[in-house]
Amino acid sequence: MNDAITVRNLKKEFKAYSSRSGLKGAFRDLLTRNYKIVPAVNNISFQVKQGEMVGYIGENGAGKSTTIKMLTGILTPTTGEVIVNGMNPHKDREKFVSTIGVVFGQRSQLWWDIAVQESFRLLKKVYKVSDEQYDSHMAHVIRTLDIEPLLDKPVRKLSLGQRMRCELAAALIHNPPLLFLDEPTIGLDVLVKLKIREFLKEINEKYNTTILLTTHDLSDIEALCERVVMLDEGKIIYDGALKSLKEKWGEGKEIEFQFLEDVTLNDLNRITASSEVKWEKDEKEAIFTAFAEDNDELISLLIAKVVADLKVKDINIKETSTEEIIRNIYDRGIS
Amino acid sequence: MDKYIEMIRIRFLMMLAYRTNYYTGILIYSINIGAYYFLWSAIYGEKDAIEGMSVIQMSTYVAVAWMARAFYFNNIDREMAAEIKEGKVAVELIRPYNYLGMKTMQGLGEGIFRLFFFSVPGMVIVSFIFPLQFSADWTTWIFFAVSIILSFFINTQINLLTGITTFFLFNNTGLIRAKRVVIDLFSGLLIPISFFPLWAQDVLKFLPFQGISYVPSMIFTNSFSNNEAIQAIIMQGIWVLILIIPIQVLWIIAKKQLIIQGG
Ligand SMILES: Nc1ncnc2c1ncn2[C@@H]1O[C@H](COP(=O)(O)OP(=O)(O)O)[C@@H](O)[C@H]1O
Ligand SMILES: [Mg+2]
């Protein structure tokens, strides 16, 4: 039993109501409302092992939050099976929720009008955390997230970044083995993001905490997750290592050259004739770009050949960013 | 249990943060009590008693009814409606506690705060201005204490019921407002139930509202005999038990078809 999350054929449908037009339509809406059934999550299956950090990505409306709400027991699935920490989130709710931590980036779970430490104190009681556990664990959390000076301030007086760090600490008061983060870095500045990432990595290492993270900021995923699950219109379109996603979908590397002498595409094609390279020229700026497979040996060989024959002014190696890869997948479909 | 007591404390702290609101509150309640006092004095005129209550019992009734209201009254139905509409209830559902239980405790925290910072000082102030009569019999005070706690529970349960309807109704602001008027009127806050026409008294006997204000106020003014008081308190207790049923049923249905708004 070392799967933190098992999801089988999970589906959630919502009724999307539409209004009829005009006054007559408004009256008819009072009696019966038109609706369409929209599948927000459509028959997905996946598993997450204890200690994994998984990025759950997808465009707005892909169904990420809906999935998280089903995994945390907030929403009941239309059909399908969910087992989290060995339990059905809907049965035995109080026992189940004690084993998870949740952060919703767009929604505060601290009490707005009272000091942060009062919220912590209440949550400590709610989760029945002993003084010793609290002291050893939370002292560390508070230090790492650097929130000591914020503890006596009411939540409404905190900035977004400050609040988010407190939210994260609050979600970890009972040191849960599984943490759900729904857009935890939305709207945060780079420094706070870095601090939060650092912290997540640390607790993952220290306690083997499983983390499921949704975000549309791919740099979070790149910094934290080896595995991504990609969702599109409620369906999983990719589930695997971030690295192989890059290898499979990366468009290879682009190497840009600028030369000190006059060079033609013919010259370049002749020099690199033995390797698989495609050259392009940007007429205006006299930049030549070589498109090659993402293979370190091939690329160094290519550069060596060019440099040996021609006087080079500037070289620039570009890698397709994950962002672009994902754009490409969404634009063209996975097949 | 610890967590529920902690919640009372938290709500108490929150009220303390906004305590200045209460100074104006005391003034408004005093004005209300004053207005009803003069109204009743005019109605009594030269008469010694109406429906078995003397004018001094009546003014005590008015004062204690309003001050008790400060204790049992709360806005948790409106809070629940807001939490449900804004989707905040999602956060409540991932906590290992009973949402309705916690709401009740928040109401209690609010009630205890108002009891100490509002009702008691308010009652002292009012007793200087108007002729009131406090019972010297300690059983009256015990009956009153039990009765007022039951008032709190009945009123809070009705609030929970109204709050839960937010899950089913698109907009229940009207319902919440109507509920408030019905309670103020039928609980005996404005007019003692014994002043209602007989047929209305018969109908109200079968409703929980008089357990909210009429019973504790009648006990406080010694207008009930000991026997009547005990019977009334038992009735209150029965209502508390009865009201659990619709709350639990609606809550189970609500959770099943729960739809959370927003990301
Ligand atoms: N309460 C709801 N009622 C109707 N449709 C909903 C509701 N919540 C979400 N949806 C729909 O389900 C889809 C997925 O939403 P969501 O899970 O919030 O996406 P994401 O978090 O990936 O942006 C969207 O099309 C959204 O409009
Ligand atoms: Mg979302």
Coordinates of all heavy atoms in Angstrom, one line a residue, chain A residues 59-66 69 106 182-183 214, chain B residues 262-263, ligand 2:
Chain A
E59 N -4.7 24.0 -19.3 CA -5.1 25.4 -19.5 C -6.3 25.7 -18.5 O -6.8 24.8 -17.9 CB -5.6 25.6 -20.9 CG -4.4 25.3 -21.9 CD -4.8 25.8 -23.3 OE1 -5.9 25.3 -23.8 OE2 -4.1 26.5 -23.9
N60 N -6.7 26.9 -18.5 CA -7.8 27.3 -17.6 C -9.0 26.5 -18.1 O -9.3 26.4 -19.3 CB -8.1 28.8 -17.8 CG -7.3 29.6 -16.8 OD1 -6.9 29.1 -15.8 ND2 -7.0 30.8 -17.2
G61 N -9.7 26.0 -17.1 CA -11.0 25.2 -17.4 C -10.7 23.8 -17.8 O -11.6 23.1 -18.2
A62 N -9.5 23.3 -17.7 CA -9.2 22.0 -18.2 C -9.7 20.9 -17.2 O -10.0 19.8 -17.6 CB -7.7 21.8 -18.3
G63 N -10.0 21.4 -16.0 CA -10.6 20.4 -15.0 C -9.6 20.1 -13.8 O -9.9 19.2 -13.0
K64 N -8.6 20.9 -13.7 CA -7.6 20.7 -12.6 C -8.3 20.8 -11.2 O -8.2 19.9 -10.4 CB -6.4 21.6 -12.7 CG -5.7 21.6 -14.1 CD -4.6 22.6 -14.1 CE -4.9 24.0 -14.0 NZ -5.7 24.6 -15.1
S65 N -8.9 22.0 -11.0 CA -9.5 22.2 -9.7 C -10.6 21.2 -9.4 O -10.7 20.8 -8.2 CB -10.0 23.6 -9.6 OG -9.0 24.6 -9.8
T66 N -11.3 20.9 -10.4 CA -12.4 19.9 -10.2 C -11.8 18.6 -9.7 O -12.4 17.9 -8.8 CB -13.2 19.7 -11.5 OG1 -13.7 21.0 -11.9 CG2 -14.4 18.8 -11.2
K69 N -10.8 18.9 -6.1 CA -11.9 18.9 -5.2 C -12.5 17.5 -5.0 O -13.0 17.1 -3.9 CB -13.0 19.8 -5.7 CG -12.7 21.3 -5.5 CD -13.7 22.2 -6.1 CE -13.2 23.6 -6.1 NZ -13.9 24.4 -7.1
Q106 N -6.4 30.6 -4.6 CA -7.4 31.7 -4.8 C -8.3 31.9 -3.6 O -9.3 32.6 -3.7 CB -8.2 31.5 -6.0 CG -7.3 31.6 -7.3 CD -7.8 30.8 -8.4 OE1 -8.3 29.7 -8.2 NE2 -7.7 31.3 -9.6
D182 N -3.4 23.9 -5.1 CA -4.1 24.4 -6.3 C -3.6 25.8 -6.6 O -4.1 26.7 -5.9 CB -5.6 24.3 -6.1 CG -6.3 24.4 -7.5 OD1 -5.7 24.6 -8.5 OD2 -7.6 24.3 -7.4
E183 N -2.8 26.0 -7.6 CA -2.3 27.3 -8.0 C -1.7 28.1 -6.8 O -2.1 29.2 -6.5 CB -3.4 28.2 -8.6 CG -4.2 27.4 -9.7 CD -3.8 27.8 -11.1 OE1 -2.8 28.6 -11.2 OE2 -4.5 27.4 -12.0
T214 N -1.1 21.9 -8.9 CA -1.6 22.4 -10.1 C -1.1 23.8 -10.3 O -0.9 24.5 -9.3 CB -3.1 22.4 -10.3 OG1 -3.6 23.7 -9.7 CG2 -3.8 21.3 -9.5
Chain B
G262 N -16.5 28.8 -8.2 CA -15.1 29.4 -8.3 C -14.0 28.4 -8.3 O -14.1 27.3 -7.8
G263 N -12.8 28.8 -8.9 CA -11.6 28.0 -9.0 C -11.2 27.4 -7.8 O -10.3 26.8 -7.5
Ligands
MG2 MG -8.5 26.0 -11.2

